[in-house]
Amino acid sequence: MTTSSAPEPVPVPIKVLLPGDQEVIARLSSRRQVPDGWRYEVGLPAYRIGPGDPVKPAEYRVWVRAPDHVRPADGVSYDQVPTEYLLKPSLVEQALGPSRPAGWVTAKAGGRAPGRGGVVHAVDCDEAPAGALVLTLERALDVAQQPGVRLCSPCGAAAELEPVLKGFGERQPPTRSGVEHGTRA
């Protein structure tokens, strides 16, 4: 068994801003970069009553948004605080942008009569019903073939599913423009 020679990081002091303009010194254990900023894991001082009613110091750990709820303590270095950074997007993600979520959903048409249809939307479509069951490709294709069902164009469901439903079409051999077959120009 190998052991690490690196010492365990020691939490460092940090000011935590509480409601009502209160400020308390807590202990910063780690920090994490998230898509909308940073979260700091802090240990706020607290007390705990143990067996036999002795009051003991304790710590309440919580993640807080930085810099909204934390400020650096004077004279403290944060260089050794364990820090998780977001992964840098791949070159493909940088060029194409984030990929859309997988799946499709169905918005039912009004009425109770069978065959009233509905609309198949991409999962992230603005028109998609909230909380709808996410359909796989196979299930979305099954639903799309039912009478009265249409595919949403604005979200791209139509562009993505129609070629699969109707086939990609047969390629026609190229013709020379301006020349009819079997004749000379």
Side-chain angles (χ1 to χ4, degrees):
M1 181 170 133
T2 60
T3 58
S4 173
S5 60
E8 188 70 27
V10 176
V12 294
I14 193 162
K15 296 176 185 177
V16 176
L17 308 175
L18 301 174
D21 295 326
Q22 298 178 59
E23 189 176 278
V24 64
I25 299 294
R27 296 170 6 125
L28 175 61
S29 297
S30 65
R31 53 192 172 180
R32 178 180 297 157
Q33 187 179 25
V34 293
D36 68 342
W38 286 89
R39 301 294 183 273
Y40 283 23
E41 182 185 22
V42 298
L44 296 165
Y47 290 100
R48 171 177 60 213
I49 298 178
D53 290 338
V55 176
K56 295 181 178 182
E59 182 176 85
Y60 175 72
R61 287 219 173 174
V62 64
W63 287 91
V64 296
R65 187 185 307 266
D68 300 352
H69 301 288
V70 291
R71 299 287 182 270
D74 296 334
V76 176
S77 171
Y78 297 99
D79 294 342
Q80 300 304 314
V81 174
T83 305
E84 293 178 38
Y85 295 94
L86 282 177
L87 294 176
K88 190 173 186 177
S90 70
L91 292 176
V92 171
E93 290 172 321
Q94 290 176 27
L96 300 178
S99 62
R100 74 186 310 167
W104 292 269
V105 297
T106 303
K108 299 288 182 191
R112 294 185 180 188
R116 296 287 296 206
V119 181
V120 176
H121 297 278
V123 129
D124 60 347
C125 180
D126 293 337
E127 303 282 323
L133 178 68
V134 177
L135 307 174
T136 64
L137 172 62
E138 293 78 17
R139 184 67 186 124
L141 292 170
D142 289 343
V143 170
Q145 293 180 58
Q146 294 175 5
V149 173
R150 65 182 183 84
L151 302 172
C152 180
S153 292
C155 72
E160 293 174 16
L161 297 176
E162 279 181 355
V164 181
L165 286 169
K166 297 178 180 174
F168 292 94
E170 294 180 19
R171 291 191 65 200
Q172 299 295 323
T175 59
R176 293 183 279 180
S177 68
V179 178
E180 292 183 35
H181 294 288
T183 61
R184 291 185 170 225

mmCIF file of all heavy atoms in Angstrom, residues 3-12 27-30 41 61 80-83:
data_model
loop_
_atom_site.group_PDB
_atom_site.id
_atom_site.type_symbol
_atom_site.label_atom_id
_atom_site.label_comp_id
_atom_site.label_asym_id
_atom_site.label_seq_id
_atom_site.Cartn_x
_atom_site.Cartn_y
_atom_site.Cartn_z
ATOM 1 N N THR A 3 1.428 5.377 0.378
ATOM 2 C CA THR A 3 0.839 6.525 1.061
ATOM 3 C C THR A 3 1.351 7.787 0.403
ATOM 4 O O THR A 3 2.470 7.826 -0.107
ATOM 5 C CB THR A 3 1.205 6.537 2.561
ATOM 6 O OG1 THR A 3 2.637 6.555 2.673
ATOM 7 C CG2 THR A 3 0.635 5.329 3.272
ATOM 8 N N SER A 4 0.531 8.802 0.403
ATOM 9 C CA SER A 4 0.891 10.076 -0.202
ATOM 10 C C SER A 4 1.727 10.873 0.787
ATOM 11 O O SER A 4 1.432 10.933 1.976
ATOM 12 C CB SER A 4 -0.376 10.847 -0.571
ATOM 13 O OG SER A 4 -0.041 12.136 -1.003
ATOM 14 N N SER A 5 2.796 11.481 0.263
ATOM 15 C CA SER A 5 3.625 12.309 1.129
ATOM 16 C C SER A 5 3.104 13.743 1.201
ATOM 17 O O SER A 5 3.580 14.536 1.992
ATOM 18 C CB SER A 5 5.071 12.300 0.631
ATOM 19 O OG SER A 5 5.112 12.815 -0.687
ATOM 20 N N ALA A 6 2.132 14.055 0.351
ATOM 21 C CA ALA A 6 1.561 15.409 0.369
ATOM 22 C C ALA A 6 0.661 15.564 1.594
ATOM 23 O O ALA A 6 -0.158 14.702 1.878
ATOM 24 C CB ALA A 6 0.765 15.665 -0.898
ATOM 25 N N PRO A 7 0.837 16.670 2.312
ATOM 26 C CA PRO A 7 -0.009 16.863 3.491
ATOM 27 C C PRO A 7 -1.458 17.148 3.098
ATOM 28 O O PRO A 7 -1.734 17.670 2.022
ATOM 29 C CB PRO A 7 0.612 18.087 4.178
ATOM 30 C CG PRO A 7 1.348 18.807 3.099
ATOM 31 C CD PRO A 7 1.767 17.759 2.102
ATOM 32 N N GLU A 8 -2.370 16.755 3.962
ATOM 33 C CA GLU A 8 -3.798 17.025 3.768
ATOM 34 C C GLU A 8 -4.011 18.537 3.807
ATOM 35 O O GLU A 8 -3.494 19.221 4.684
ATOM 36 C CB GLU A 8 -4.597 16.341 4.869
ATOM 37 C CG GLU A 8 -6.093 16.386 4.677
ATOM 38 C CD GLU A 8 -6.576 15.530 3.525
ATOM 39 O OE1 GLU A 8 -5.908 14.542 3.180
ATOM 40 O OE2 GLU A 8 -7.623 15.865 2.965
ATOM 41 N N PRO A 9 -4.740 19.110 2.830
ATOM 42 C CA PRO A 9 -4.956 20.563 2.851
ATOM 43 C C PRO A 9 -5.671 20.994 4.136
ATOM 44 O O PRO A 9 -6.598 20.340 4.596
ATOM 45 C CB PRO A 9 -5.838 20.839 1.640
ATOM 46 C CG PRO A 9 -5.861 19.583 0.853
ATOM 47 C CD PRO A 9 -5.398 18.466 1.725
ATOM 48 N N VAL A 10 -5.213 22.081 4.685
ATOM 49 C CA VAL A 10 -5.807 22.626 5.906
ATOM 50 C C VAL A 10 -6.748 23.759 5.505
ATOM 51 O O VAL A 10 -6.358 24.655 4.750
ATOM 52 C CB VAL A 10 -4.700 23.158 6.852
ATOM 53 C CG1 VAL A 10 -5.301 23.807 8.074
ATOM 54 C CG2 VAL A 10 -3.744 22.044 7.217
ATOM 55 N N PRO A 11 -7.999 23.729 5.972
ATOM 56 C CA PRO A 11 -8.915 24.829 5.645
ATOM 57 C C PRO A 11 -8.348 26.165 6.121
ATOM 58 O O PRO A 11 -7.701 26.242 7.159
ATOM 59 C CB PRO A 11 -10.190 24.469 6.408
ATOM 60 C CG PRO A 11 -10.109 22.996 6.628
ATOM 61 C CD PRO A 11 -8.639 22.706 6.790
ATOM 62 N N VAL A 12 -8.591 27.192 5.330
ATOM 63 C CA VAL A 12 -8.086 28.531 5.658
ATOM 64 C C VAL A 12 -9.249 29.468 5.970
ATOM 65 O O VAL A 12 -10.362 29.262 5.498
ATOM 66 C CB VAL A 12 -7.231 29.099 4.505
ATOM 67 C CG1 VAL A 12 -5.964 28.287 4.320
ATOM 68 C CG2 VAL A 12 -8.008 29.142 3.203
ATOM 69 N N ARG A 27 -14.201 28.593 7.669
ATOM 70 C CA ARG A 27 -13.020 27.900 7.148
ATOM 71 C C ARG A 27 -13.326 27.417 5.736
ATOM 72 O O ARG A 27 -14.287 26.669 5.527
ATOM 73 C CB ARG A 27 -12.656 26.737 8.062
ATOM 74 C CG ARG A 27 -12.248 27.223 9.440
ATOM 75 C CD ARG A 27 -12.088 26.149 10.513
ATOM 76 N NE ARG A 27 -12.199 24.772 10.149
ATOM 77 C CZ ARG A 27 -11.270 23.838 10.395
ATOM 78 N NH1 ARG A 27 -10.168 24.164 11.018
ATOM 79 N NH2 ARG A 27 -11.470 22.583 10.048
ATOM 80 N N LEU A 28 -12.514 27.846 4.791
ATOM 81 C CA LEU A 28 -12.675 27.453 3.388
ATOM 82 C C LEU A 28 -11.967 26.124 3.170
ATOM 83 O O LEU A 28 -10.757 26.017 3.352
ATOM 84 C CB LEU A 28 -12.103 28.525 2.458
ATOM 85 C CG LEU A 28 -12.093 28.222 0.965
ATOM 86 C CD1 LEU A 28 -13.496 28.008 0.430
ATOM 87 C CD2 LEU A 28 -11.402 29.347 0.207
ATOM 88 N N SER A 29 -12.732 25.105 2.758
ATOM 89 C CA SER A 29 -12.172 23.763 2.539
ATOM 90 C C SER A 29 -11.833 23.504 1.087
ATOM 91 O O SER A 29 -10.839 22.861 0.779
ATOM 92 C CB SER A 29 -13.153 22.698 3.005
ATOM 93 O OG SER A 29 -13.380 22.817 4.382
ATOM 94 N N SER A 30 -12.694 23.970 0.164
ATOM 95 C CA SER A 30 -12.459 23.754 -1.264
ATOM 96 C C SER A 30 -13.301 24.728 -2.058
ATOM 97 O O SER A 30 -14.199 25.380 -1.526
ATOM 98 C CB SER A 30 -12.792 22.307 -1.657
ATOM 99 O OG SER A 30 -14.161 22.048 -1.490
ATOM 100 N N GLU A 41 -16.842 25.745 -0.561
ATOM 101 C CA GLU A 41 -17.279 24.897 0.539
ATOM 102 C C GLU A 41 -16.682 25.473 1.820
ATOM 103 O O GLU A 41 -15.466 25.482 2.003
ATOM 104 C CB GLU A 41 -16.812 23.464 0.353
ATOM 105 C CG GLU A 41 -17.295 22.544 1.446
ATOM 106 C CD GLU A 41 -16.733 21.142 1.323
ATOM 107 O OE1 GLU A 41 -15.685 20.951 0.673
ATOM 108 O OE2 GLU A 41 -17.364 20.232 1.895
ATOM 109 N N ARG A 61 -20.995 22.574 7.493
ATOM 110 C CA ARG A 61 -20.431 22.723 6.146
ATOM 111 C C ARG A 61 -21.530 23.007 5.140
ATOM 112 O O ARG A 61 -22.575 22.363 5.147
ATOM 113 C CB ARG A 61 -19.699 21.467 5.741
ATOM 114 C CG ARG A 61 -18.401 21.318 6.464
ATOM 115 C CD ARG A 61 -17.376 20.793 5.534
ATOM 116 N NE ARG A 61 -16.101 20.822 6.200
ATOM 117 C CZ ARG A 61 -15.024 20.318 5.683
ATOM 118 N NH1 ARG A 61 -15.079 19.765 4.503
ATOM 119 N NH2 ARG A 61 -13.891 20.389 6.321
ATOM 120 N N GLN A 80 -3.286 27.349 -1.819
ATOM 121 C CA GLN A 80 -3.246 25.920 -1.522
ATOM 122 C C GLN A 80 -4.637 25.295 -1.349
ATOM 123 O O GLN A 80 -4.739 24.111 -1.048
ATOM 124 C CB GLN A 80 -2.411 25.671 -0.264
ATOM 125 C CG GLN A 80 -0.974 26.147 -0.389
ATOM 126 C CD GLN A 80 -0.248 25.538 -1.582
ATOM 127 O OE1 GLN A 80 -0.326 24.334 -1.807
ATOM 128 N NE2 GLN A 80 0.431 26.369 -2.356
ATOM 129 N N VAL A 81 -5.701 26.087 -1.533
ATOM 130 C CA VAL A 81 -7.059 25.558 -1.387
ATOM 131 C C VAL A 81 -7.366 24.633 -2.567
ATOM 132 O O VAL A 81 -7.168 25.020 -3.722
ATOM 133 C CB VAL A 81 -8.097 26.707 -1.326
ATOM 134 C CG1 VAL A 81 -9.518 26.164 -1.321
ATOM 135 C CG2 VAL A 81 -7.846 27.595 -0.130
ATOM 136 N N PRO A 82 -7.813 23.396 -2.308
ATOM 137 C CA PRO A 82 -8.185 22.502 -3.415
ATOM 138 C C PRO A 82 -9.235 23.163 -4.307
ATOM 139 O O PRO A 82 -10.257 23.641 -3.825
ATOM 140 C CB PRO A 82 -8.758 21.272 -2.705
ATOM 141 C CG PRO A 82 -8.162 21.300 -1.340
ATOM 142 C CD PRO A 82 -8.001 22.761 -1.000
ATOM 143 N N THR A 83 -8.940 23.191 -5.609
ATOM 144 C CA THR A 83 -9.791 23.900 -6.556
ATOM 145 C C THR A 83 -10.103 23.010 -7.752
ATOM 146 O O THR A 83 -9.206 22.422 -8.335
ATOM 147 C CB THR A 83 -9.089 25.192 -7.037
ATOM 148 O OG1 THR A 83 -8.739 25.975 -5.893
ATOM 149 C CG2 THR A 83 -9.970 25.997 -7.956
#
